[in-house]
Amino acid sequence: MWEYSDKVKEHFLNPRNVGVVENADGIGEVGSMSCGDALKLTFKLDENEIITDVKFQTFGCASAIASSSALTEMMIGKTLSEAEKITNDDIVAFLGGLPKEKMHCSVMGQEALEKAIACYRGVPVEEKEGEIVCECFGVTDLEIQRALKEHNLSAVEDVTNYIKAGGGCGKCHERIQELINEFKGHEPVIDKKPEKLSNIKKIKLIEETLEREIKPALKKDGGDIELVDVDGSKIFVKLQGACSSCSAAQITLKEFVEKKLCEFVSPDLVVEEVS
């Protein structure tokens, strides 16, 4: 379970400015519903180009909702030129931080703002330079190289956390790893086929991962998890304690439990909850 600041929790539970501004001056839409994250931002200006109203609609996790809500609060009352200077780092600072796995949520807000301003000005959003690496989210090699340098990232998962690249179909993971190797000055990594696990070894690894990586995090929030069954690549679990009644339980299962099991046991695992 990720650690969220009080401000992130507050904006997630009580998001500000949800909806669509009627007769908006600027509209910015980013993300992809098919890939799990999408944001629509609309705003209204007065005669002095001061933002008087701004609203958002988002399809995403708690961090996406909190980041979008924070962005709208940061925009209201600013001139367009002032709002244009808001960065994803500003959004993260406003919220008192985000888990590293959720940094891309703030990036989505910044991109929606850029598109909404371009819409108002009637100019196309500047074409991204470089080679598109992640087609799901339209992320280029230059953007990945910049993220590697600015945040000293060293794994594909880190790149996904910061700029979402690789967070969709996963076809670009090999290319992202090549860029990481170039950045680190390493020789290309030879892709080794994962060892085929026997059922006994797989179950043992799952149990070890639950005990070492997953249960301690869930217990911090009063929750727990029980392994119920394993059928091929499907892992059936039962959430317990606070996790069993949490509205974000499915996000926890997919974004935390399943990812940890895929990382430490086998990349083809799918986690399902049983009652």
Side-chain angles (χ1 to χ4, degrees):
M1 189 77 70
W2 298 294
E3 294 288 341
Y4 292 109
S5 70
D6 290 341
K7 204 162 186 178
V8 171
K9 294 175 186 174
E10 214 284 315
H11 273 268
F12 167 56
L13 295 172
N14 301 289
R16 282 67 151 173
N17 308 309
V18 176
V20 178
V21 174
E22 292 187 10
N23 302 315
D25 292 314
I27 302 172
E29 294 182 79
V30 296
S32 165
M33 292 287 285
S34 62
C35 293
D37 278 322
L39 169 62
K40 180 176 183 178
L41 187 73
T42 53
F43 67 73
K44 193 77 176 174
L45 301 172
D46 68 8
E47 63 278 10
N48 297 314
E49 286 199 337
I50 293 175
I51 297 171
T52 57
D53 194 10
V54 55
K55 294 187 184 299
F56 77 93
Q57 290 179 317
T58 186
F59 176 77
C61 62
S63 296
I65 293 170
S67 295
S68 303
S69 174
L71 174 60
T72 60
E73 287 222 313
M74 296 168 71
M75 290 173 62
I76 290 178
K78 282 187 168 59
T79 65
L80 203 62
S81 59
E82 289 171 337
E84 195 171 18
K85 296 174 183 175
I86 296 173
T87 68
N88 74 296
D89 288 336
D90 295 329
I91 297 171
V92 173
F94 181 92
L95 288 170
L98 280 175
K100 65 181 179 63
E101 293 87 350
K102 295 296 178 182
M103 290 295 289
H104 62 269
C105 296
S106 61
V107 175
M108 191 166 65
Q110 182 183 355
E111 291 178 347
L113 174 60
E114 290 173 353
K115 283 197 172 183
I117 292 175
C119 168
Y120 166 71
R121 290 174 174 162
V123 299
V125 176
E126 290 186 8
E127 287 286 334
K128 293 182 178 179
E129 296 182 356
E131 158 208 355
I132 294 290
V133 174
C134 174
E135 294 184 356
C136 293
F137 294 99
V139 184
T140 69
D141 57 345
L142 297 181
E143 290 175 300
I144 294 171
Q145 288 168 342
R146 184 165 59 247
L148 292 172
K149 182 178 179 181
E150 291 179 351
H151 304 288
N152 194 29
L153 308 180
S154 58
V156 174
E157 183 182 10
D158 295 334
V159 173
T160 302
N161 292 337
Y162 272 84
I163 56 175
K164 198 67 176 174
C169 69
K171 292 180 180 176
C172 58
H173 286 187
E174 185 176 346
R175 177 61 181 134
I176 294 173
Q177 184 62 58
E178 289 176 357
L179 293 169
I180 293 171
N181 293 339
E182 291 171 9
F183 172 67
K184 294 292 184 181
H186 294 165
E187 293 295 326
V189 174
I190 298 174
D191 185 21
K192 296 181 180 178
K193 290 185 178 179
E195 177 187 0
K196 186 174 182 180
L197 299 173
S198 66
N199 285 338
I200 292 177
K201 190 170 184 180
K202 182 187 292 183
I203 292 171
K204 185 179 179 183
L205 281 174
I206 291 169
E207 290 176 333
E208 289 176 353
T209 303
L210 287 172
E211 293 295 331
R212 186 185 66 248
E213 302 288 335
I214 297 172
K215 287 192 174 189
L218 298 184
K219 287 180 178 177
K220 285 183 181 178
D221 293 321
D224 204 350
I225 190 169
E226 175 191 354
L227 176 63
V228 176
D229 198 3
V230 177
D231 182 6
S233 61
K234 290 187 177 180
I235 312 299
F236 298 95
V237 299
K238 184 175 182 179
L239 292 173
Q240 299 175 328
C243 292
S244 63
S245 57
C246 178
S247 60
Q250 290 304 310
I251 295 174
T252 300
L253 278 181
K254 291 298 175 184
E255 296 296 324
F256 178 60
V257 178
E258 187 172 287
K259 283 189 175 180
K260 285 293 182 185
L261 291 173
C262 287
E263 179 183 357
F264 290 100
V265 183
S266 178
D268 63 339
L269 296 183
V270 176
V271 174
E272 296 185 8
E273 183 184 14
V274 297
S275 56

